[in-house]
């Protein structure tokens, strides 16, 4: 018993735990925005199809920006890159809170997308560098547990606030949380100076190199499957709910509920993957949301659909963190600087 307590205490005091606190605070801000992001875009364009096109455009921009930022990831301190990206994201949230101009919104959204790409990549590499290989899967599970707790709190807060305030107030609050996260991260003084001696400048060759490894390409598709699911949940479902007569606050409550399975099981399945292997976890993890979405196709009741999607979160708890750990498992040397994004 004493050994268990000592082990848990060591985890709490570790650098990984402190990094988890950083992303937890920031993710409360991200979740406040993501809860009503689709609704916010719809308030500009008043068309569900255009919401999808704008989201797709930003996603495509994000895809290409992952290649463009590789030289920066290889050359510069990852901690400084993360700090700069977090700062700009906070500023973008404050601008979103006050702007009513769709062109300014689109321009800031493009820059925010680039900096969000930089944030994801730099922070992911920091976590990997702070973990030894044997504990990487566990540490990724810890990160995603904290992420999911943030996405548990954020939508609930957003849902409650939406009853009393406009969405722009929620965006302003999100910016404050992101700034608090930045202040805490700077206080930690994390060393992120791992670099490659040779920086990739040929983007065409870099693009080809991304897909040379079959295992790495499989990891991309696994991660893409996870992202595809969350685009259904965070882009389509809020609009679908409002179209079916539910209130804006119900969107927050739904996104609050859908994170419960991830909080409950992410850490457990990440540990389990390190013991029994990734493939068994992946098969079951992707099967559950696949079946859930097929069942929803034949269901007409909005409340039953929401309940099924919440249960499908069990499958996502199996694959989110384990997909990232599997990807790192396929890398050698300093390849993470090139391919993590």
């Amino acid at each position: 018993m004493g050994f268990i307590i000592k082990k848990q205490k060591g985890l709490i005091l570790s650098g990984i735990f402190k990094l988890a606190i950083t992303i937890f605070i920031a993710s409360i801000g991200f979740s406040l925005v993501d809860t009503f992001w689709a609704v916010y875009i719809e308030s500009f364009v008043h068309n569900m199809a255009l919401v999808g096109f704008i989201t797709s455009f930003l996603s495509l921009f994000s895809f290409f920006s992952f290649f463009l930022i590789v030289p920066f990831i290889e050359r510069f301190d990852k901690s400084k890159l993360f700090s700069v990206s977090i700062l700009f994201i906070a500023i973008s949230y404050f601008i979103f809170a006050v702007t009513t101009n769709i062109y300014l919104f689109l321009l800031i959204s493009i820059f925010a997308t680039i900096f969000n790409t930089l944030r994801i990549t730099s922070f992911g590499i920091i976590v990997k560098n702070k973990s030894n290989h044997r504990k990487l899967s566990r540490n990724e599970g810890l990160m995603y547990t904290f992420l999911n707790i943030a996405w548990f709190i954020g939508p609930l807060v957003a849902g409650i606030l939406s009853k009393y305030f406009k969405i722009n107030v929620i965006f302003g609050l999100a910016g404050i949380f992101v700034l608090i996260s930045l202040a805490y991260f700077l206080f930690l003084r994390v060393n992120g100076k791992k670099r490659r001696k040779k920086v990739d400048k040929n983007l065409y060759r870099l693009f080809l190199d991304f897909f040379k490894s079959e295992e790495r390409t499989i990891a991309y598709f696994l991660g893409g499957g996870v992202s595809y699911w969350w685009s259904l949940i965070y882009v389509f479902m809020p609009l679908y709910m409002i179209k079916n007569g539910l209130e804006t606050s119900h969107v927050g409550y739904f996104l609050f509920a859908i994170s419960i399975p991830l909080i409950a099981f992410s850490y457990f399945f990440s540990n389990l993957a390190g013991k029994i292997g990734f493939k068994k976890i992946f098969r079951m993890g992707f099967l559950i949301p696949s079946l859930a979405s097929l069942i929803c196709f034949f269901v007409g009741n909005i409340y039953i659909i929401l309940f099924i999607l919440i249960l499908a979160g069990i499958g996502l708890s199996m694959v989110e963190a384990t997909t990232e750990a599997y990807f790192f498992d396929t890398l050698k040397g300093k390849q993470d600087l090139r391919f993590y994004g």
Side-chain angles (χ1 to χ4, degrees), residues 296-311:
C296 287
F297 181 80
F298 298 101
V299 175
N301 187 299
I302 180 67
Y303 295 103
I304 296 176
I305 290 174
L306 297 179
F307 180 70
I308 292 171
L309 294 178
I310 290 168
L311 291 180

Side-chain angles (χ1 to χ4, degrees), residues 225-269:
V226 174
S227 298
Y228 191 82
W229 174 264
W230 290 124
S231 70
L232 163 72
I233 300 301
Y234 278 89
V235 178
F236 177 72
M237 287 309 298
L239 299 176
Y240 183 69
M241 291 170 68
I242 291 173
K243 185 180 178 181
N244 279 269
L246 276 66
E247 296 181 5
T248 306
S249 58
H250 291 144
V251 174
Y253 301 149
F254 165 67
L255 296 177
F256 156 77
I258 207 165
S259 65
I260 294 174
L262 290 102
I263 296 170
F265 300 114
S266 285
Y267 188 72
F268 168 77
F269 285 121

Side-chain angles (χ1 to χ4, degrees), residues 147-258:
L147 275 171
N148 292 323
I149 292 173
W151 254 267
F152 174 79
I153 296 171
L156 178 62
V157 172
I160 294 171
L161 290 178
S162 68
K163 283 193 169 187
Y164 308 100
F165 303 100
K166 294 182 179 180
I167 291 176
N168 61 334
V169 174
I170 298 172
F171 277 42
L173 180 62
I176 293 172
F177 271 102
V178 175
L179 284 181
I180 293 172
S181 171
L182 171 60
Y184 177 73
F185 182 76
L186 293 174
F187 172 77
L188 294 178
R189 296 184 178 180
V190 176
N191 183 354
K193 293 182 179 179
K194 179 183 175 183
R195 298 169 183 164
R196 290 183 84 235
K197 292 181 180 179
K198 186 179 179 182
V199 175
D200 290 285
K201 296 180 179 179
N202 188 329
L203 296 182
Y204 174 72
R205 182 178 177 182
L206 178 64
F207 182 86
L208 296 179
D209 286 347
F210 258 75
F211 302 98
K212 274 187 177 181
S213 166
E214 182 179 343
E215 283 188 319
R216 215 166 48 233
T217 303
I218 290 172
Y220 299 152
F221 277 96
L222 291 172
V226 174
S227 298
Y228 191 82
W229 174 264
W230 290 124
S231 70
L232 163 72
I233 300 301
Y234 278 89
V235 178
F236 177 72
M237 287 309 298
L239 299 176
Y240 183 69
M241 291 170 68
I242 291 173
K243 185 180 178 181
N244 279 269
L246 276 66
E247 296 181 5
T248 306
S249 58
H250 291 144
V251 174
Y253 301 149
F254 165 67
L255 296 177
F256 156 77
I258 207 165

Side-chain angles (χ1 to χ4, degrees), residues 125 136 210 215-220 222 278 282 321-332 335-341:
I125 292 172
L136 179 58
F210 258 75
E215 283 188 319
R216 215 166 48 233
T217 303
I218 290 172
Y220 299 152
L222 291 172
F278 293 104
F282 286 150
T322 49
T323 298
E324 194 149 326
Y326 170 76
F327 173 75
F328 281 130
D329 200 53
T330 66
L331 299 181
K332 298 176 182 178
Q335 287 184 334
D336 54 337
L337 299 179
R338 304 180 74 202
F339 301 125
Y340 174 73

